[in-house]
Amino acid sequence: MKKILLLASVVLVLQSCVVRTATKVVSGAVSLSYKAVKGTVNGISWAVSKAKGKIDEDRLDGTWKVVGVYRGSFEDFSKDQNPDGSFTSECTEGFDQIVFKAKKSKFKPVHCSTQDEDWVKYSMEFGKNPSTKEKENYIEYNSNNYISVIDVTNKTMVLEGNLMPKLGFSGAKLYLLEKVK
């Protein structure tokens, strides 16, 4: 009788361990897939972490189309369980973009692919950003304006700061850009 009781209790303990472990695996997989879905806008993935170390300035070179805007900081975005990172352009033809010429350290925003702005001289630094007080990659322009470079790949770039003043008034701070050319 003692053997049957001992065997039954061992089976019960093992079964509860298996169920508990399976529950953790399933919930872990669900949260992992949720984070992957959370980080995409129109099939383009947002950077989920800041670049570690210095980003080569040549990676900025080219024309970048604005495809996503988040109304809040990168820190808010990383903590947000359901961020609204959508962006609706007011352009009927063309798109909002930024053109970088890394060799000359110049950039210019272009509204709706037609309304050219003046070229703005910038310097890209890696260090303590004066506006955020964090060690990161950032662009300084017009002597006291800063844009944090969160991450740059060959297809996407994520910037934080006052990139588009017309959207900045509504709280937009984080921008997802897609490389055009």
Side-chain angles (χ1 to χ4, degrees):
M1 183 73 168
K2 289 182 183 180
K3 288 183 180 180
I4 291 175
L5 207 50
L6 181 66
L7 187 62
S9 63
V10 168
V11 167
L12 186 62
V13 168
L14 287 176
Q15 183 180 6
S16 68
C17 288
V18 168
V19 169
R20 191 173 304 129
T21 303
T23 304
K24 287 180 182 178
V25 168
V26 169
S27 65
V30 167
S31 69
L32 180 64
S33 66
Y34 176 73
K35 288 179 184 176
V37 171
K38 167 188 156 185
T40 60
V41 175
N42 299 331
I44 301 166
S45 178
W46 282 88
V48 292
S49 64
K50 287 190 177 187
K52 305 215 183 331
K54 184 171 175 35
I55 295 174
D56 185 15
E57 186 177 347
D58 291 339
R59 294 174 80 187
L60 299 177
D61 208 29
T63 302
W64 298 86
K65 170 181 161 180
V66 178
V67 293
V69 175
Y70 179 72
R71 296 187 191 319
S73 68
F74 180 75
E75 186 176 319
D76 297 337
F77 177 79
S78 61
K79 292 177 184 176
D80 197 340
Q81 293 298 314
N82 191 17
D84 180 16
S86 61
F87 172 64
T88 307
S89 178
E90 298 171 1
C91 305
T92 55
E93 292 183 21
F95 46 85
D96 288 322
Q97 66 187 20
I98 295 179
V99 181
F100 279 94
K101 289 194 177 181
K103 292 189 190 313
K104 295 184 178 184
S105 295
K106 293 181 176 183
F107 77 92
K108 72 174 175 176
V110 182
H111 180 63
C112 296
S113 301
T114 57
Q115 298 177 1
D116 277 351
E117 298 284 332
D118 293 332
W119 286 98
V120 178
K121 196 91 166 124
Y122 74 89
S123 68
M124 184 163 168
E125 304 289 332
F126 177 70
K128 190 173 182 180
N129 185 335
S131 65
T132 63
K133 308 292 187 232
E134 291 184 30
K135 187 173 183 178
E136 61 188 4
N137 292 283
Y138 66 93
I139 295 170
E140 180 181 1
Y141 66 99
N142 293 341
S143 70
N144 281 330
N145 294 311
Y146 304 96
I147 298 172
S148 298
V149 181
I150 303 298
D151 196 16
V152 181
T153 66
N154 59 349
K155 294 181 182 178
T156 61
M157 176 167 52
V158 178
L159 301 175
E160 179 180 7
N162 190 16
L163 193 60
M164 299 174 70
K166 63 180 179 150
L167 292 174
F169 292 121
S170 63
K173 291 182 184 174
L174 197 63
Y175 299 88
L176 174 65
L177 298 103
E178 179 182 29
K179 189 146 195 175
V180 178
K181 56 181 173 177

